[in-house]
């Protein structure tokens, strides 16, 4: 793919207006192109048939609809979970996951190829850091998801599963979560540019509440986000209430220990009025004991700010030497938090059969090749 061409998903509406003006096109052409990108989810420049043929030909010569190549889409959960595998121009692969529920549709987006953070339980960490994704790369993943939903509505994929019935696929994408490969705050400016693009009321028009960014706990990123004009949802990967254990699981904790992270989370909740989510992967014998549940409840209840714990039965990643908590341990852990009055839920597992569940994204196309 020609990387010299303009990636249309990297262009703001202002950039498009300038390009069209430079090409001698009337002002309304930029609006037409923007509509094709963000309300019609055009799959190619050729598909933009409301544009004159000469303009389309010029656009094909000088621009591209994304620079990533979609190399595979794997389906799990009877088609209700879909993993897209993308190849970047340099050959690296990244992944995105679309999950359809009766009342919502969520896409989990990658922000980096590989990741430098080194969390021991995560498949992506094993790749190391490969490269940051551009705003357009993140937008491209979201538009893919929107197109998949559009296609599903025409051709329902599931009967009698998860209460989704033919004709009952959500009408559009409702949530974008930056929880795929990479740490979004390590690529803050590009990540934020993608949020602004997807939020634009003249384009994709997704509300601030529809975005969730998940961080391993980079406090400067949380502080920067506090000043941002859109109060998006913040999720913190916590995984234990003990510093020593967290540092062993997540090296970032040595730099940003738990007390500082909780203080930053509390400040974010106070500043934005939003509830902060804490992600907690349950790993057998590591962080799933009654003592850990008590420590977690003490930590979060002491601070008295609106928060919620997402308990995630950890998905096995080969070679880590770690094991998934039993169902009984997960239920006991939740019951202990419930007993203490800490809001929590067990996350529904999706995509385990296609290596698309939390912590499993690893550019698996490359592996299978
Ligand atoms: S869990 Fe997230 S931050 Fe940690 S290594 Fe994996 S992708 Fe990176």
């Amino acid at each position: 793919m020609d990387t010299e061409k303009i990636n249309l998903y990297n262009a703001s509406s202002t950039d498009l207006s300038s390009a069209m003006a430079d090409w001698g096109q009337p002002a309304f052409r930029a609006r037409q192109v923007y509509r094709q990108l963000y309300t019609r989810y055009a799959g190619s420049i050729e598909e933009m048939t409301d544009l004159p043929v000469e303009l389309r030909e010029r656009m094909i010569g000088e621009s591209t609809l994304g620079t990533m190549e979609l190399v595979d889409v794997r389906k799990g959960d009877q088609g209700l979970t879909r993993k897209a595998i993308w190849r970047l121009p340099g050959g690296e692969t990244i992944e995105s996951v679309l999950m359809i529920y009766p009342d919502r549709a969520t896409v989990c987006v990658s922000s980096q190829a590989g990741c430098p953070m080194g969390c021991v339980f995560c498949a992506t960490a094993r790749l190391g850091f490969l490269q940051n994704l551009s705003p357009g790369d993140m937008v491209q993943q979201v538009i893919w998801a929107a197109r998949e939903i559009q296609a599903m509505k025409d051709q329902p994929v599931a009967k009698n599963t998860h209460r989704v019935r033919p004709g009952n696929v959500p009408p559009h994408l409702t949530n974008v979560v930056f929880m795929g490969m990479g740490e979004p705050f390590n690529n803050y400016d590009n990540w934020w540019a993608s949020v602004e693009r997807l939020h634009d009321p003249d384009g994709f028009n997704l509300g601030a509440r529809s975005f969730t960014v998940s961080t391993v706990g980079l406090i400067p990123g949380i502080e920067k986000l506090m000043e941002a004009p859109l109060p998006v949802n913040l999720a913190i990967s916590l995984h234990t209430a003990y510093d020593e254990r967290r540092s062993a699981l997540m090296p970032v904790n040595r730099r940003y220990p738990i007390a500082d992270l909780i203080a930053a989370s509390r400040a974010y909740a106070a500043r934005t009025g939003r509830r902060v989510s804490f992600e907690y992967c349950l790993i057998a014998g590591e962080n799933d004991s009654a003592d850990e549940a008590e420590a977690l409840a003490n930590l979060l209840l002491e601070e008295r700010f609106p928060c919620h714990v997402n308990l995630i039965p950890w998905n096995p990643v080969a070679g880590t030497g770690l094991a998934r908590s039993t169902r009984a341990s997960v239920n006991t852990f939740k019951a202990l938090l419930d007993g203490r009055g800490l809001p929590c839920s067990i996350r529904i597992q999706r995509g385990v059969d296609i290596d698309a569940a939390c912590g499993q994204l690893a550019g698996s196309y490359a592996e299978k090749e």
Side-chain angles (χ1 to χ4, degrees):
M1 197 172 286
D2 187 354
T3 49
E4 298 303 309
K5 294 180 174 181
I6 300 164
N7 179 358
L8 291 174
Y9 291 133
N10 267 339
S12 65
S13 57
T14 314
D15 296 335
L16 281 178
S17 297
S18 309
M20 290 297 147
D22 289 349
W23 293 355
Q25 295 291 325
F28 68 86
R29 290 285 181 230
R31 290 195 293 278
Q32 272 181 301
V33 174
Y34 207 64
R35 252 200 319 273
Q36 281 286 359
L37 295 173
Y38 296 114
T39 62
R40 296 191 185 169
Y41 322 138
S44 66
I45 294 169
E46 290 90 335
E47 267 181 38
M48 301 182 183
T49 51
D50 55 342
L51 302 178
V53 176
E54 322 79 67
L55 175 58
R56 273 183 273 155
E57 282 172 356
R58 182 157 189 186
M59 286 173 66
I60 289 166
E62 298 185 31
S63 64
T64 176
L65 206 50
T67 56
M68 300 190 301
E69 181 192 356
L70 183 62
V71 289
D72 201 4
V73 177
R74 296 196 178 136
K75 295 180 185 169
D77 304 320
Q78 302 191 37
L80 297 172
T81 304
R82 296 176 178 208
K83 178 166 86 167
I85 303 171
W86 305 90
R87 186 182 285 123
L88 278 73
E92 302 83 6
T93 47
I94 62 123
E95 300 174 348
S96 339
V97 183
L98 170 63
M99 291 154 283
I100 302 290
Y101 302 91
D103 58 342
R104 67 191 194 281
T106 300
V107 63
C108 179
V109 172
S110 292
S111 56
Q112 296 182 303
C115 182
M117 302 311 297
C119 305
V120 300
F121 48 81
C122 169
T124 306
R126 305 181 144 223
L127 301 172
F129 173 66
L130 300 174
Q131 72 173 79
N132 281 330
L133 299 189
S134 72
D137 296 334
M138 288 176 252
V139 168
Q140 189 175 359
Q141 296 173 61
V142 175
I143 300 298
W144 161 76
R147 282 176 61 81
E148 286 285 309
I149 293 167
Q150 213 168 36
M152 269 184 232
K153 277 191 299 177
D154 298 339
Q155 198 176 20
V157 290
K159 292 178 185 174
N160 308 321
T161 51
H162 298 283
R163 298 186 306 281
V164 171
R165 302 278 186 272
N168 193 21
V169 172
H172 48 72
L173 191 68
T174 54
N175 299 85
V176 174
V177 298
F178 293 88
M179 295 185 177
M181 298 167 78
E183 159 59 51
F185 288 167
N186 266 341
N187 186 17
Y188 190 101
D189 292 345
N190 284 353
W191 163 69
W192 184 254
S194 75
V195 170
E196 289 196 314
R197 182 72 35 74
L198 294 163
H199 172 69
D200 184 354
D202 293 330
F204 199 70
N205 192 23
L206 206 58
R209 285 170 190 271
S210 300
F211 294 97
T212 299
V213 60
S214 173
T215 178
V216 77
L218 295 183
I219 292 175
I222 298 172
E223 291 170 345
K224 197 166 175 184
L225 189 60
M226 246 180 267
E227 305 303 323
L230 297 177
V232 301
N233 299 308
L234 176 66
I236 308 284
S237 295
L238 187 60
H239 309 313
T240 172
Y242 291 117
D243 269 317
E244 199 178 330
R245 183 155 292 144
R246 192 163 189 270
S247 294
L249 290 171
M250 308 170 77
V252 69
N253 193 69
R254 292 183 206 126
R255 180 138 191 218
Y256 301 115
I258 292 172
D260 295 351
L261 182 54
I262 298 300
S265 307
R266 185 174 198 251
Y268 188 81
R271 179 67 173 257
T272 60
R274 312 306 290 266
R275 185 182 80 168
V276 174
S277 299
F278 289 94
E279 311 293 305
Y280 197 106
C281 276
L282 286 154
I283 306 171
E286 288 286 327
N287 62 357
D288 63 347
S289 65
D291 171 60
E292 283 274 359
E294 288 297 335
L296 179 64
N298 291 342
L299 178 73
L300 297 180
L301 291 172
E302 187 185 336
E303 288 292 332
R304 295 184 183 278
F305 68 100
C307 67
H308 182 93
V309 176
N310 283 319
L311 298 172
I312 307 162
W314 180 71
N315 298 297
V317 174
T320 56
L322 300 171
R324 186 188 175 105
S325 294
T326 61
R327 180 174 283 268
S329 306
V330 172
N331 290 339
T332 303
F333 200 94
K334 182 176 186 308
L336 287 167
L337 298 187
D338 285 340
R340 294 289 306 276
L342 183 62
C344 65
S345 50
I346 299 172
R347 182 173 293 165
I348 302 169
Q349 288 297 285
R350 279 298 193 89
V352 177
D353 49 343
I354 51 170
D355 291 339
C358 294
Q360 290 189 314
L361 301 184
S364 55
Y365 190 70
E367 267 171 34
K368 294 204 171 153
E369 274 182 329

